[in-house]
Every structure is written in C-alpha cells, then in structure tokens.
Amino acid sequence: DGTNAVYKLTQDILDKKKEELAKGFAAIEAAPGFIQAKNPMKLNSCLRGSAFYIKSDMEAISRGLNEDRSNVAFAKTREVAQKLGELGAHGRAKNWPQCDK
C-alpha cells in the first residue's frame, strides 16, 4: 500500500515516466520492420532495450498517485508486458507467423 515506502510517486516522476514511455514506444515502432526482414537479433535488441522501461513506466502511470493496482489500466499494462515478452520469445525462436499476430 506504500504507507512505509521510501519512494513516493509524485507528479514530476509521473511526467518523467510519460516521457520515457514515449521514447520506448518509438523504439518499439521499429519492430515490424525487423519482423518483416526476419531479423531476430535486431528485434531482440529493440525489445530488450525498451520492454522493461515500457513495463515499469506503464505500471507507474496506470497506478497513478494513489498507487491503485486494482484498476483496469493496471491490468492492461500487465497484458501489454506479456505480449511484448511473447513477441520477443517468438522472434528468438524465428516463429515469424506468431510475430505477425
């Protein structure tokens, strides 16, 4: 619940997370080109560099300042993180039809 947390989420931190999230999404936008070119190494590097930050930034933004983990946006964040992980796994396995989904 965050009552004894050393780290408190503030509006400034949320704004920074939004900026970082935009950069992460910009990096992810290159993924379809790597899938089309069937380049697992570049796809993997694209996803690894961005996916962790996208996940943590989306979780912080979806929780908001009241640290609500029970809302729909937080659940969607977890779904997006799972899909990015699956995309990376399919790319490493060169399972290109699954990457296109």
Side-chain angles (χ1 to χ4, degrees):
D1 68 353
T3 54
N4 295 323
V6 174
Y7 170 81
K8 296 282 186 189
L9 197 60
T10 65
Q11 189 61 48
D12 288 339
I13 294 171
L14 274 179
D15 292 341
K16 182 180 177 190
K17 297 249 180 224
K18 288 177 185 178
E19 290 174 16
E20 290 174 356
L21 184 60
K23 290 177 187 174
F25 282 143
I28 293 291
E29 287 176 1
F34 300 140
I35 293 168
Q36 190 173 32
K38 297 183 179 180
N39 189 333
M41 296 302 288
K42 286 196 177 184
L43 176 63
N44 191 32
S45 67
C46 161
L47 293 175
R48 281 188 182 215
S50 305
F52 173 78
Y53 295 106
I54 287 174
K55 180 181 177 247
S56 67
D57 292 340
M58 285 179 65
E59 284 179 350
I61 292 166
S62 65
R63 282 192 321 259
L65 294 175
N66 61 359
E67 297 287 327
D68 180 16
R69 293 174 188 259
S70 64
N71 64 35
V72 175
F74 189 77
K76 280 291 184 192
T77 294
R78 305 297 291 190
E79 286 179 36
V80 169
Q82 180 65 34
K83 293 293 182 185
L84 286 173
E86 289 173 4
L87 177 60
H90 290 305
R92 284 187 298 281
K94 300 180 184 177
N95 188 353
W96 303 116
Q98 287 293 321
C99 289
D100 284 333
K101 288 185 178 183

